[in-house]
Amino acid sequence: MKSAPLLLLLSSVLLSSHLRPAAGRPRTFPGWLDGSGRLQQTQQMDEMLLRAAAAGDSSASDLLSDNILRFLQRRSPDHLHLLPPEEDESDDGAVRTAAQLLKRSEEPPLSIDLTFHLLRNMIQMAKMESQREQAQLNRKVLDETLLEIMETDFSDPLTPLASPLPHLQAHNPLNSGLLVDSRQMGNRRSSCHFHSFSIV
Amino acid sequence: MSVTVRTQLLLFLISLSSRMGISRCLDMLATDGYFTFVASRPQLTCAAFIIAEPSEVISLELTDVSIDCGAGDFIKMFDGWVLKGEKFPSSRDHPLPLHQRYTDYCSSTAPGATSRSSQNVAMIFFRIHSPDSGFTLAVKKLHNPFPCNIMSQSPEGSFTMVMPHQRRNCSFSVIYPVEIRLTELSLGQAKSNELSPQRQLWSGCSGSGDYVELLGGNGVDTSKMFPVADLCFSLSGLAQMKIGCDNSVVRLVSSGNYINRVSFQYRLLEQNELPKTRENNLDNFCSVE
């Protein structure tokens, strides 16, 4: 009579041990896992474990302690709805240590896999950006200074100009020619064509 | 608005010379200023490379940080650059051990984190999980009177490296295939008039304390690059070398006994100047992308 409960216990243990491989990691990786990156692999593993645990497989929950399960839940927010949202204050510390352990074991050293070609382009773009900003600043200063000069030269700014501005041409502070963007002139109609000028 | 008021306003705006920029997940910063990064979605692998002029060092400061260190967010500042697992400057050229070159915001006890680089390049790595979290990075350039370990911003230029009585190894790295012309090399004076023993040709200059070597390779780590030439005698004439590699380096090794000085120019190699790749050739230790 005593052997019956023992037999029952033994059979239940044997049955549950047969269930384990379903939730455990497969010994031979399926084809889609081969050759993929480490990060992808870990993510897929996590998903498999979470799915197995969510399906109510008690052996999966036995395999993973509650703490690690909650950590995986946090890592994959898509699967949040699959697990009961128990937020226990006392477990947070354990979750954190579990998280740190997993992080240290699987996180590769910090590095960016940029090719030299991309790195060179990035440096050139950053330099061009700073030069462009400086050029815009210079253009603003120049335009403002020129407007100031023009407004002090003419008594009636709306009078159309018949000839090029003598002052600008004669007292040209810059050797290469001082020209103003025609759009800045607004209502002034002149017979000259002015082009924008920027210092780079 | 009158002209004078307008000019004054413009000049006031110009005086605010610091740049306010919104940083991307992967960015290159070449100017001073404040750069703000705010995550719109979880960003797990981000970095910003910072580069300055050769005779400058970079000061970084983190302000307005709103990340969750407990959730796995981090911001780490690194004294140098890490590219494909390789570090510049290498451990042999940098004065600090590797763990001291990282400044982790989450580990530092001070409310903000600051870091000053030892050369003209620095970078930050960051990971932010929750949207609307972010930080502001203040970048300032400081003058460095004796630059050691330089990453050139352009494939052409010239430079003079001076190492005054310091036992240091300094690398000038150009991430392009270039022709290097050494215009001046002064490796200090011998202590006595004794004739130095004849060095065997194959051993090169590594036996002497002070020398210049030219390196070529495919990574940024100078200790993993191949020596193309080395010089241990002062020269007043011209010496030039074409290095057809993705990274070309002039490295000055100093014992600390002398004041060493090397001046050089470099220019980009044209496509037709690159060494032709020959099959089964043992000389091909690097390539150009």
Side-chain angles (χ1 to χ4, degrees), chain A residues 66-132:
Chain A
D66 281 355
N67 294 331
I68 301 179
L69 204 58
R70 272 196 210 94
F71 166 68
L72 285 171
Q73 170 191 352
R74 284 197 195 164
R75 269 165 57 108
S76 327
D78 306 328
H79 297 279
L80 261 174
H81 61 280
L82 294 174
L83 295 168
E86 296 168 27
E87 285 299 321
D88 204 332
E89 286 298 311
S90 60
D91 282 343
D92 274 349
V95 171
R96 215 165 284 139
T97 42
Q100 277 169 8
L101 278 169
L102 275 169
K103 219 195 306 182
R104 254 185 251 134
S105 63
E106 60 188 45
E107 205 168 274
L110 296 172
S111 178
I112 302 289
D113 275 0
L114 267 185
T115 59
F116 272 118
H117 179 70
L118 285 171
L119 191 70
R120 288 166 193 153
N121 283 351
M122 281 172 69
I123 297 176
Q124 295 310 315
M125 279 182 353
K127 274 170 58 177
M128 270 165 40
E129 232 174 275
S130 69
Q131 283 175 355
R132 211 178 298 134

Side-chain angles (χ1 to χ4, degrees), chain A residues 39 43 74 96 99 103 107 109-127 129-130 133 137 140-142 144-145 147-148 151, chain B residues 3 6-7 10 14 19 24 26-28 30-31 45 47 49 51 72 74 76 81-85 125 127 153-155 175-177 218-220 246-247 289:
Chain A
L39 186 62
Q43 280 175 353
R74 284 197 195 164
R96 215 165 284 139
K103 219 195 306 182
E107 205 168 274
L110 296 172
S111 178
I112 302 289
D113 275 0
L114 267 185
T115 59
F116 272 118
H117 179 70
L118 285 171
L119 191 70
R120 288 166 193 153
N121 283 351
M122 281 172 69
I123 297 176
Q124 295 310 315
M125 279 182 353
K127 274 170 58 177
E129 232 174 275
S130 69
E133 274 179 18
L137 220 62
K140 280 200 190 86
V141 174
L142 199 58
E144 284 293 328
T145 322
L147 276 170
E148 201 179 330
E151 280 176 7
Chain B
V3 174
R6 198 166 42 197
T7 323
L10 177 69
I14 292 165
R19 178 194 153 185
R24 297 171 277 268
L26 185 63
D27 210 348
M28 173 75 66
T31 55
T45 323
F49 294 83
I51 189 164
F74 63 77
K76 292 189 195 187
W81 276 7
V82 183
L83 204 69
K84 289 192 272 196
F125 297 95
R127 173 182 293 176
Q153 288 191 30
S154 55
I175 50 167
Y176 289 92
N218 291 333
V220 290
D246 270 334
N247 190 10
E289 285 171 12

Side-chain angles (χ1 to χ4, degrees), chain A residues 16-191:
Chain A
S16 64
S17 69
H18 279 305
L19 282 170
R20 278 175 196 272
R25 294 166 191 250
R27 212 186 318 151
T28 53
F29 289 117
W32 48 268
L33 275 180
D34 284 340
S36 51
R38 266 176 75 210
L39 186 62
Q40 225 182 339
Q41 231 174 31
T42 353
Q43 280 175 353
Q44 281 153 352
M45 281 301 166
D46 293 346
E47 280 172 24
M48 270 172 54
L49 285 164
L50 278 171
R51 253 186 259 120
D57 196 344
S58 59
S59 51
S61 321
D62 292 340
L63 273 177
L64 313 162
S65 74
D66 281 355
N67 294 331
I68 301 179
L69 204 58
R70 272 196 210 94
F71 166 68
L72 285 171
Q73 170 191 352
R74 284 197 195 164
R75 269 165 57 108
S76 327
D78 306 328
H79 297 279
L80 261 174
H81 61 280
L82 294 174
L83 295 168
E86 296 168 27
E87 285 299 321
D88 204 332
E89 286 298 311
S90 60
D91 282 343
D92 274 349
V95 171
R96 215 165 284 139
T97 42
Q100 277 169 8
L101 278 169
L102 275 169
K103 219 195 306 182
R104 254 185 251 134
S105 63
E106 60 188 45
E107 205 168 274
L110 296 172
S111 178
I112 302 289
D113 275 0
L114 267 185
T115 59
F116 272 118
H117 179 70
L118 285 171
L119 191 70
R120 288 166 193 153
N121 283 351
M122 281 172 69
I123 297 176
Q124 295 310 315
M125 279 182 353
K127 274 170 58 177
M128 270 165 40
E129 232 174 275
S130 69
Q131 283 175 355
R132 211 178 298 134
E133 274 179 18
Q134 191 60 44
Q136 278 173 4
L137 220 62
N138 291 344
R139 181 195 293 222
K140 280 200 190 86
V141 174
L142 199 58
D143 288 349
E144 284 293 328
T145 322
L146 285 170
L147 276 170
E148 201 179 330
I149 292 169
M150 290 210 198
E151 280 176 7
T152 52
D153 274 347
F154 307 112
S155 49
D156 185 6
L158 292 176
T159 311
L161 300 166
S163 61
L165 299 164
H167 285 93
L168 275 179
Q169 282 186 359
H171 304 107
N172 194 343
L174 298 167
N175 292 330
S176 46
L178 196 66
L179 304 168
V180 170
D181 193 344
S182 58
R183 291 165 291 179
Q184 296 280 341
M185 301 294 275
N187 289 333
R188 303 174 204 211
R189 289 181 294 122
S190 85
S191 59

Side-chain angles (χ1 to χ4, degrees), chain B residues 7 67 75 82 104 121 125 155 196 264 274:
Chain B
T7 323
I67 64 167
I75 306 173
V82 183
D104 191 347
V121 290
F125 297 95
S196 53
F264 53 91
L274 293 170

Side-chain angles (χ1 to χ4, degrees), chain B residues 201-274:
Chain B
L201 283 171
W202 56 264
S203 68
C205 291
S206 49
S208 56
D210 299 64
Y211 59 96
V212 164
E213 58 180 0
L214 302 183
L215 310 164
N218 291 333
V220 290
D221 191 332
T222 53
S223 62
K224 297 193 173 106
M225 292 169 69
F226 300 95
V228 168
D230 51 9
L231 297 104
C232 25
F233 303 103
S234 298
L235 59 87
S236 53
L238 208 65
Q240 65 190 51
M241 190 98 204
K242 284 184 184 166
I243 305 179
C245 299
D246 270 334
N247 190 10
S248 315
V249 168
V250 177
R251 187 163 178 260
L252 173 64
V253 177
S254 303
S255 61
N257 297 328
Y258 312 110
I259 300 175
N260 294 331
R261 182 193 174 96
V262 54
S263 299
F264 53 91
Q265 299 165 357
Y266 51 99
R267 66 164 185 90
L268 182 66
L269 285 181
E270 302 294 330
Q271 198 63 34
N272 57 350
E273 289 179 287
L274 293 170

